[in-house]
Amino acid sequence: MVTLISNSPAETEAIGRRWGEEAVRGMVFALTGDLGAGKTQLVRGLAAGLGSPARVSSPTFVLVHEYGGGRLPLFHLDLYRLSSPAEVIDAGLAEYLLDPDGVTVVEWAERWFGPGPASAPSAGRLRQVWIETVSETVRRIRHVDSGS
């Protein structure tokens, strides 16, 4: 497991940007963290790293936003309103998680993957990410990669 410290929203976005630059088709980023931890900030960076000009916002009320215009499409899911893997499947979101035709990032991923490190339920590469609020501006970002 890798641990990073972000001292500001700009640093959180820069981490996401770096990850977006390295992302490959089929990659899934599974984000876990409390409200206000910086999940959407990290997604803004991912979109920028993929070269997308999109204005990223939380998809809480629509479950998924699709952002194009970059080297790969970005699928941004928010599972906050769902409570189980069955609800994720019933909502038609499994294709984004199991075999995305681009890069998928999932907020509230524990609704699908569970709370801790697990075997990759994705066909491709999975990066599980936990964002912990240390102080008003400082975040501890831990991640582990699995899959092919």
Side-chain angles (χ1 to χ4, degrees):
M1 184 161 319
V2 176
T3 300
L4 306 168
I5 299 295
S6 170
N7 293 297
S8 69
E11 285 185 20
T12 299
E13 190 170 322
I15 291 167
R17 181 184 312 263
R18 195 166 49 250
W19 291 355
E21 291 168 352
E22 300 166 353
V24 297
R25 184 176 304 280
M27 191 163 191
V28 176
F29 292 86
L31 310 182
T32 299
D34 292 333
L35 285 171
K39 296 181 295 294
T40 302
Q41 195 70 40
L42 192 69
V43 179
R44 285 187 184 106
L46 274 162
L50 287 167
S52 175
R55 294 187 61 196
V56 172
S57 62
S58 180
T60 300
F61 298 107
V62 294
L63 297 178
V64 63
H65 283 307
E66 296 185 15
Y67 301 116
R71 65 181 177 82
L72 293 168
L74 177 64
F75 310 109
H76 181 194
L77 283 64
D78 188 319
L79 305 183
Y80 182 75
R81 294 185 301 128
L82 304 179
S83 60
S84 70
E87 287 187 5
V88 172
I89 291 167
D90 288 347
L93 301 176
E95 70 183 272
Y96 295 107
L97 300 166
L98 299 174
D99 191 22
D101 188 28
V103 174
T104 295
V105 61
V106 185
E107 296 191 35
W108 302 98
E110 63 273 20
R111 307 279 205 256
W112 172 258
F113 299 110
S119 297
S122 131
R125 221 173 123 197
L126 173 69
R127 176 167 292 168
Q128 290 179 278
V129 180
W130 297 269
I131 305 174
E132 177 188 354
T133 301
V134 176
S135 72
E136 188 174 322
T137 57
V138 177
R139 303 295 186 261
R140 181 176 297 113
I141 301 171
R142 298 177 298 128
H143 70 90
V144 63
D145 290 345
S146 57
S148 56

